[in-house]
PDB file of all heavy atoms in Angstrom:
ATOM      1  N   ILE A 181      50.742-103.517-123.662  1.00 93.00           N
ATOM      2  CA  ILE A 181      50.997-103.566-122.221  1.00 93.00           C
ATOM      3  C   ILE A 181      49.703-103.782-121.444  1.00 93.00           C
ATOM      4  O   ILE A 181      49.618-104.649-120.573  1.00 93.00           O
ATOM      5  CB  ILE A 181      51.679-102.256-121.763  1.00 93.00           C
ATOM      6  CG1 ILE A 181      53.015-102.083-122.490  1.00 93.00           C
ATOM      7  CG2 ILE A 181      51.875-102.252-120.250  1.00 93.00           C
ATOM      8  CD1 ILE A 181      53.629-100.721-122.300  1.00 93.00           C
ATOM      9  N   LEU A 182      48.687-103.002-121.781  1.00 93.00           N
ATOM     10  CA  LEU A 182      47.435-103.009-121.029  1.00 93.00           C
ATOM     11  C   LEU A 182      46.420-104.011-121.563  1.00 93.00           C
ATOM     12  O   LEU A 182      45.697-104.650-120.793  1.00 93.00           O
ATOM     13  CB  LEU A 182      46.831-101.599-121.044  1.00 93.00           C
ATOM     14  CG  LEU A 182      45.539-101.379-120.259  1.00 93.00           C
ATOM     15  CD1 LEU A 182      45.768-101.626-118.775  1.00 93.00           C
ATOM     16  CD2 LEU A 182      45.024 -99.963-120.484  1.00 93.00           C
ATOM     17  N   ALA A 183      46.366-104.140-122.876  1.00 94.00           N
ATOM     18  CA  ALA A 183      45.310-104.938-123.501  1.00 94.00           C
ATOM     19  C   ALA A 183      45.237-106.379-123.004  1.00 94.00           C
ATOM     20  O   ALA A 183      44.135-106.870-122.718  1.00 94.00           O
ATOM     21  CB  ALA A 183      45.465-104.905-125.018  1.00 94.00           C
ATOM     22  N   PRO A 184      46.357-107.104-122.879  1.00 94.00           N
ATOM     23  CA  PRO A 184      46.240-108.495-122.411  1.00 94.00           C
ATOM     24  C   PRO A 184      45.569-108.611-121.040  1.00 94.00           C
ATOM     25  O   PRO A 184      44.773-109.532-120.812  1.00 94.00           O
ATOM     26  CB  PRO A 184      47.696-108.973-122.363  1.00 94.00           C
ATOM     27  CG  PRO A 184      48.397-108.122-123.361  1.00 94.00           C
ATOM     28  CD  PRO A 184      47.748-106.778-123.246  1.00 94.00           C
ATOM     29  N   ALA A 185      45.873-107.663-120.139  1.00 94.00           N
ATOM     30  CA  ALA A 185      45.267-107.706-118.806  1.00 94.00           C
ATOM     31  C   ALA A 185      43.778-107.417-118.870  1.00 94.00           C
ATOM     32  O   ALA A 185      42.975-108.098-118.217  1.00 94.00           O
ATOM     33  CB  ALA A 185      45.958-106.700-117.888  1.00 94.00           C
ATOM     34  N   VAL A 186      43.378-106.419-119.659  1.00 93.00           N
ATOM     35  CA  VAL A 186      41.958-106.083-119.792  1.00 93.00           C
ATOM     36  C   VAL A 186      41.192-107.252-120.407  1.00 93.00           C
ATOM     37  O   VAL A 186      40.108-107.623-119.930  1.00 93.00           O
ATOM     38  CB  VAL A 186      41.776-104.805-120.643  1.00 93.00           C
ATOM     39  CG1 VAL A 186      40.304-104.582-120.976  1.00 93.00           C
ATOM     40  CG2 VAL A 186      42.341-103.596-119.909  1.00 93.00           C
ATOM     41  N   ILE A 187      41.746-107.855-121.436  1.00 93.00           N
ATOM     42  CA  ILE A 187      41.094-108.985-122.099  1.00 93.00           C
ATOM     43  C   ILE A 187      40.938-110.152-121.128  1.00 93.00           C
ATOM     44  O   ILE A 187      39.897-110.819-121.106  1.00 93.00           O
ATOM     45  CB  ILE A 187      41.888-109.396-123.353  1.00 93.00           C
ATOM     46  CG1 ILE A 187      41.733-108.310-124.438  1.00 93.00           C
ATOM     47  CG2 ILE A 187      41.425-110.747-123.881  1.00 93.00           C
ATOM     48  CD1 ILE A 187      42.667-108.472-125.613  1.00 93.00           C
ATOM     49  N   ALA A 188      41.951-110.391-120.299  1.00 93.00           N
ATOM     50  CA  ALA A 188      41.880-111.477-119.317  1.00 93.00           C
ATOM     51  C   ALA A 188      40.810-111.197-118.263  1.00 93.00           C
ATOM     52  O   ALA A 188      40.063-112.099-117.860  1.00 93.00           O
ATOM     53  CB  ALA A 188      43.237-111.671-118.656  1.00 93.00           C
ATOM     54  N   ILE A 189      40.714-109.940-117.808  1.00 93.00           N
ATOM     55  CA  ILE A 189      39.704-109.571-116.807  1.00 93.00           C
ATOM     56  C   ILE A 189      38.298-109.758-117.372  1.00 93.00           C
ATOM     57  O   ILE A 189      37.414-110.311-116.714  1.00 93.00           O
ATOM     58  CB  ILE A 189      39.916-108.120-116.336  1.00 93.00           C
ATOM     59  CG1 ILE A 189      41.196-108.011-115.511  1.00 93.00           C
ATOM     60  CG2 ILE A 189      38.723-107.632-115.513  1.00 93.00           C
ATOM     61  CD1 ILE A 189      41.619-106.581-115.213  1.00 93.00           C
ATOM     62  N   VAL A 190      38.095-109.292-118.602  1.00 93.00           N
ATOM     63  CA  VAL A 190      36.781-109.423-119.235  1.00 93.00           C
ATOM     64  C   VAL A 190      36.426-110.893-119.427  1.00 93.00           C
ATOM     65  O   VAL A 190      35.289-111.320-119.148  1.00 93.00           O
ATOM     66  CB  VAL A 190      36.744-108.675-120.576  1.00 93.00           C
ATOM     67  CG1 VAL A 190      35.441-108.944-121.311  1.00 93.00           C
ATOM     68  CG2 VAL A 190      36.925-107.182-120.352  1.00 93.00           C
ATOM     69  N   LYS A 191      37.380-111.685-119.876  1.00 91.00           N
ATOM     70  CA  LYS A 191      37.135-113.114-120.098  1.00 91.00           C
ATOM     71  C   LYS A 191      36.737-113.805-118.803  1.00 91.00           C
ATOM     72  O   LYS A 191      35.852-114.669-118.787  1.00 91.00           O
ATOM     73  CB  LYS A 191      38.386-113.772-120.692  1.00 91.00           C
ATOM     74  CG  LYS A 191      38.189-115.242-121.051  1.00 91.00           C
ATOM     75  CD  LYS A 191      39.436-115.811-121.705  1.00 91.00           C
ATOM     76  CE  LYS A 191      39.222-117.276-122.092  1.00 91.00           C
ATOM     77  NZ  LYS A 191      40.431-117.853-122.749  1.00 91.00           N
ATOM     78  N   ASP A 192      37.366-113.420-117.707  1.00 91.00           N
ATOM     79  CA  ASP A 192      37.064-114.038-116.418  1.00 91.00           C
ATOM     80  C   ASP A 192      35.681-113.645-115.907  1.00 91.00           C
ATOM     81  O   ASP A 192      35.022-114.425-115.223  1.00 91.00           O
ATOM     82  CB  ASP A 192      38.128-113.638-115.393  1.00 91.00           C
ATOM     83  CG  ASP A 192      37.925-114.326-114.057  1.00 91.00           C
ATOM     84  OD1 ASP A 192      37.951-115.564-114.019  1.00 91.00           O
ATOM     85  OD2 ASP A 192      37.732-113.614-113.050  1.00 91.00           O
ATOM     86  N   GLY A 193      35.238-112.429-116.245  1.00 88.00           N
ATOM     87  CA  GLY A 193      33.976-111.924-115.696  1.00 88.00           C
ATOM     88  C   GLY A 193      32.776-112.037-116.618  1.00 88.00           C
ATOM     89  O   GLY A 193      31.662-111.690-116.222  1.00 88.00           O
ATOM     90  N   VAL A 194      32.980-112.517-117.834  1.00 90.00           N
ATOM     91  CA  VAL A 194      31.887-112.542-118.806  1.00 90.00           C
ATOM     92  C   VAL A 194      30.778-113.487-118.341  1.00 90.00           C
ATOM     93  O   VAL A 194      31.034-114.533-117.745  1.00 90.00           O
ATOM     94  CB  VAL A 194      32.420-112.955-120.196  1.00 90.00           C
ATOM     95  CG1 VAL A 194      32.818-114.425-120.227  1.00 90.00           C
ATOM     96  CG2 VAL A 194      31.405-112.652-121.284  1.00 90.00           C
ATOM     97  N   THR A 195      29.525-113.098-118.596  1.00 94.00           N
ATOM     98  CA  THR A 195      28.391-113.921-118.179  1.00 94.00           C
ATOM     99  C   THR A 195      27.913-114.869-119.265  1.00 94.00           C
ATOM    100  O   THR A 195      27.191-115.820-118.987  1.00 94.00           O
ATOM    101  CB  THR A 195      27.203-113.031-117.768  1.00 94.00           C
ATOM    102  OG1 THR A 195      26.679-112.383-118.929  1.00 94.00           O
ATOM    103  CG2 THR A 195      27.616-112.002-116.725  1.00 94.00           C
ATOM    104  N   GLY A 196      28.270-114.582-120.513  1.00 94.00           N
ATOM    105  CA  GLY A 196      27.836-115.426-121.616  1.00 94.00           C
ATOM    106  C   GLY A 196      26.494-115.045-122.202  1.00 94.00           C
ATOM    107  O   GLY A 196      25.985-115.726-123.102  1.00 94.00           O
ATOM    108  N   MET A 197      25.913-113.916-121.710  1.00 96.00           N
ATOM    109  CA  MET A 197      24.586-113.525-122.226  1.00 96.00           C
ATOM    110  C   MET A 197      24.405-112.016-122.282  1.00 96.00           C
ATOM    111  O   MET A 197      23.307-111.550-122.559  1.00 96.00           O
ATOM    112  CB  MET A 197      23.490-114.128-121.343  1.00 96.00           C
ATOM    113  CG  MET A 197      23.536-113.702-119.893  1.00 96.00           C
ATOM    114  SD  MET A 197      22.228-114.433-118.857  1.00 96.00           S
ATOM    115  CE  MET A 197      20.772-113.594-119.473  1.00 96.00           C
ATOM    116  N   ASP A 198      25.460-111.242-122.064  1.00 96.00           N
ATOM    117  CA  ASP A 198      25.318-109.786-121.892  1.00 96.00           C
ATOM    118  C   ASP A 198      25.871-108.994-123.078  1.00 96.00           C
ATOM    119  O   ASP A 198      26.809-108.226-122.946  1.00 96.00           O
ATOM    120  CB  ASP A 198      25.989-109.338-120.595  1.00 96.00           C
ATOM    121  CG  ASP A 198      27.450-109.767-120.513  1.00 96.00           C
ATOM    122  OD1 ASP A 198      27.874-110.667-121.265  1.00 96.00           O
ATOM    123  OD2 ASP A 198      28.178-109.200-119.684  1.00 96.00           O
ATOM    124  N   VAL A 199      25.239-109.194-124.245  1.00 96.00           N
ATOM    125  CA  VAL A 199      25.735-108.569-125.467  1.00 96.00           C
ATOM    126  C   VAL A 199      24.743-107.574-126.070  1.00 96.00           C
ATOM    127  O   VAL A 199      25.107-106.448-126.407  1.00 96.00           O
ATOM    128  CB  VAL A 199      26.115-109.657-126.499  1.00 96.00           C
ATOM    129  CG1 VAL A 199      26.309-109.057-127.884  1.00 96.00           C
ATOM    130  CG2 VAL A 199      27.381-110.376-126.069  1.00 96.00           C
ATOM    131  N   PHE A 200      23.493-107.975-126.217  1.00 97.00           N
ATOM    132  CA  PHE A 200      22.503-107.132-126.899  1.00 97.00           C
ATOM    133  C   PHE A 200      21.478-106.603-125.910  1.00 97.00           C
ATOM    134  O   PHE A 200      20.763-107.388-125.273  1.00 97.00           O
ATOM    135  CB  PHE A 200      21.794-107.936-127.991  1.00 97.00           C
ATOM    136  CG  PHE A 200      20.826-107.123-128.805  1.00 97.00           C
ATOM    137  CD1 PHE A 200      21.262-106.451-129.936  1.00 97.00           C
ATOM    138  CD2 PHE A 200      19.496-107.014-128.435  1.00 97.00           C
ATOM    139  CE1 PHE A 200      20.363-105.686-130.688  1.00 97.00           C
ATOM    140  CE2 PHE A 200      18.604-106.248-129.171  1.00 97.00           C
ATOM    141  CZ  PHE A 200      19.054-105.587-130.297  1.00 97.00           C
TER     142      PHE A 200
END
Side-chain angles (χ1 to χ4, degrees):
I181 299 169
L182 182 63
V186 171
I187 289 169
I189 291 170
V190 173
K191 184 177 181 179
D192 184 60
V194 70
T195 69
M197 60 180 290
D198 55 343
V199 166
F200 184 89

